[in-house]
Amino acid sequence: VMAAFIIANGAASMGSKVTIFFTFWGLNVLRRENPPSVPKGILDRMFGWMMPRGPKRLTLSKMHMGGMGTAMMKHVMKSKNVMTLPELVQGALDSGVRLVACAMSMDVMGIHRDELIDGVEFGGVASYLDTADEGKVNLFI
Amino acid sequence: VMAAFIIANGAASMGSKVTIFFTFWGLNVLRRENPPSVPKGILDRMFGWMMPRGPKRLTLSKMHMGGMGTAMMKHVMKSKNVMTLPELVQGALDSGVRLVACAMSMDVMGIHRDELIDGVEFGGVASYLDTADEGKVNLFI
Amino acid sequence: VMAAFIIANGAASMGSKVTIFFTFWGLNVLRRENPPSVPKGILDRMFGWMMPRGPKRLTLSKMHMGGMGTAMMKHVMKSKNVMTLPELVQGALDSGVRLVACAMSMDVMGIHRDELIDGVEFGGVASYLDTADEGKVNLFI
């Protein structure tokens, strides 16, 4: 997620049009910390409860070590003036990066539109492919 | 694997020519459930024995939780009418998506051609690069 | 890492210009086995100490199994005359593949230039994007 937003924000600052498409676990980045209550079935509720809500709660993909590694990385990034993940997400929105949530993944994981942050768009694989076809650099991260 | 096949099938249905190249662990997607017996060395046999055989036996990359998470995801996908992975693989073959198995990975992991499903082609890195050079969208998943 | 270098070396041997950009954990591939002593803060020292130093010490992304899986894979690759990872890295340098270390990741993880192998270049996201814009095939691995 760090890599995605650093590349996206870098490209936006260099004048490129940028779209990030979020599928499956990637949707967690876009979840509100305090979502409104939404009527859900039991399985959807369980998915929502088990997955991290928003960028603040994401953990390192490696060396998380029960929280120690992630805390250490956050501390180091702050002390070295690297933007944190929540700052990167806000920066992306501010510089016009389009954040598109995969509608099918939202359906599978039982995530409602109201549970995602403001400014997010919604689309499917066709929308992704149309955008990708026009792009010069296209990564699966 | 889900993402790869959803994108591939989507692109094929939109009229694009699609090739998926399978290396290392990715080869497990193409394995037959009940492969013919093939003479093998002990290490090749161990590799084959330890790795999942075919799309039905693949597990979630996150939240597998000893099988519970994967079972839950399959249940949810079925109840929401999302195609399962075996259906996606068959759908890809039916709509002309080329499935190419990496010959070098097959050699390293001791997987024989007869152990892979029908319709699979075989190639190396040169074959991948030739195809990628012509393509517009190219992802490593 | 295997896939990255096999594709990179393949492309180089087919006459393409190839650049690999290393961020975060990817930097471990470029670390010297016996780096010179460098003055560091305690956290930087911890990061350096916890992460694998160089390609010889990298482990399988799946089925590492406390070292057994990785050892088995190395054994099999040697017996089947597949190039090992250290050989692939040297091969890439020999055939003119540019290896670029992400300067920001180096800063975050407290890795100094002297701790990386000879022949490595240094750059940021802008340098990556400039190269990617010119390229035909561009993967995030």
Side-chain angles (χ1 to χ4, degrees), chain A residues 92-119:
Chain A
L93 284 168
D94 292 346
S95 54
V97 172
R98 286 176 60 211
L99 307 182
V100 183
C102 171
M104 195 197 78
S105 306
M106 288 175 64
D107 186 35
V108 169
M109 289 156 67
I111 295 178
H112 290 241
R113 291 186 177 213
D114 298 343
E115 295 178 283
L116 301 186
I117 56 173
D118 289 331

Side-chain angles (χ1 to χ4, degrees), chain A residues 76-139:
Chain A
V76 166
M77 284 172 63
K78 195 163 271 183
S79 75
K80 293 187 179 169
N81 286 317
V82 177
M83 279 171 95
T84 62
L85 194 44
E87 288 167 348
L88 284 167
V89 174
Q90 191 54 53
L93 284 168
D94 292 346
S95 54
V97 172
R98 286 176 60 211
L99 307 182
V100 183
C102 171
M104 195 197 78
S105 306
M106 288 175 64
D107 186 35
V108 169
M109 289 156 67
I111 295 178
H112 290 241
R113 291 186 177 213
D114 298 343
E115 295 178 283
L116 301 186
I117 56 173
D118 289 331
V120 168
E121 299 172 47
F122 304 92
V125 69
S127 138
Y128 159 69
L129 284 165
D130 282 338
T131 312
D133 259 352
E134 289 168 21
K136 261 162 98 181
V137 174
N138 177 33
L139 303 170

Side-chain angles (χ1 to χ4, degrees), chain C residues 60-126:
Chain C
L60 282 184
S61 59
K62 290 193 176 202
M63 308 213 306
H64 176 54
M65 301 188 297
M68 224 182 70
T70 300
M72 183 174 145
M73 178 63 94
K74 285 186 181 177
H75 175 81
V76 167
M77 286 172 63
K78 194 162 272 181
S79 75
K80 295 189 178 167
N81 284 318
V82 178
M83 280 172 92
T84 62
L85 194 44
E87 287 167 350
L88 283 167
V89 174
Q90 190 55 50
L93 283 168
D94 292 347
S95 55
V97 172
R98 287 175 60 214
L99 307 182
V100 182
C102 171
M104 195 197 76
S105 307
M106 289 174 65
D107 186 34
V108 168
M109 288 157 66
I111 295 178
H112 290 241
R113 292 186 176 211
D114 298 343
E115 295 177 281
L116 301 186
I117 57 173
D118 288 332
V120 168
E121 299 173 47
F122 306 91
V125 68

Side-chain angles (χ1 to χ4, degrees), chain A residues 136, chain B residues 132-136 138, chain C residues 17 131-138:
Chain A
K136 261 162 98 181
Chain B
D133 259 353
E134 287 169 22
K136 261 162 99 182
N138 177 34
Chain C
K17 291 207 292 184
T131 311
D133 259 351
E134 289 168 22
K136 260 161 98 183
V137 174
N138 177 35

Side-chain angles (χ1 to χ4, degrees), chain A residues 13 30 56 68 94 132:
Chain A
S13 77
L30 303 179
K56 254 196 214 167
M68 223 182 71
D94 292 346

